[in-house]
Amino acid sequence: MLTNEAYKPINCDDYDNLELACQNNWMLVLALKNGEQLKAKATDMVSRKNVEYLAIDLSGEVRELRLDHIASFSHPELGTVVVSESD
């Protein structure tokens, strides 16, 4: 996916669930819109230049995922959350 595309904020409830996952360092199963599947620990929420990211620890490698590039995420405490754009 292009990183210069306009950022589309995600739904507040989805954002709150990701924030909760970071606070608890939960291991999430993430599906990205480009088809990539990841299992990684949620570590932080980052905002830079009006774009929001989820920082993850993927087997010791730190990555930042644009929130609007995440299709869904799941954890036993949350179930599966399909990410939607903000209204």
Side-chain angles (χ1 to χ4, degrees):
M1 287 199 170
L2 299 174
T3 56
N4 62 351
E5 68 190 67
Y7 177 72
K8 299 174 189 84
I10 66 169
N11 178 293
C12 289
D13 290 338
D14 298 341
Y15 185 95
D16 290 346
N17 283 326
L18 287 171
E19 217 168 31
L20 179 65
C22 290
Q23 290 169 355
N24 292 294
N25 288 314
W26 283 344
M27 189 65 76
L28 297 177
V29 175
L30 299 140
L32 304 184
K33 291 181 179 177
N34 67 2
E36 189 176 1
Q37 302 279 328
L38 305 169
K39 185 172 184 179
K41 186 190 306 181
T43 59
D44 199 9
M45 302 294 281
V46 181
S47 181
R48 247 189 332 277
K49 297 182 181 177
N50 297 320
V51 178
E52 297 166 314
Y53 300 88
L54 171 66
I56 58 169
D57 180 339
L58 183 64
S59 303
E61 174 194 352
V62 176
R63 281 185 60 183
E64 290 182 356
L65 307 174
R66 267 179 60 150
L67 298 189
D68 62 342
H69 289 183
I70 300 171
S72 67
F73 58 92
S74 62
H75 181 272
E77 296 287 325
L78 299 171
T80 298
V81 177
V82 177
V83 177
S84 57
E85 292 176 10
S86 179
D87 293 330

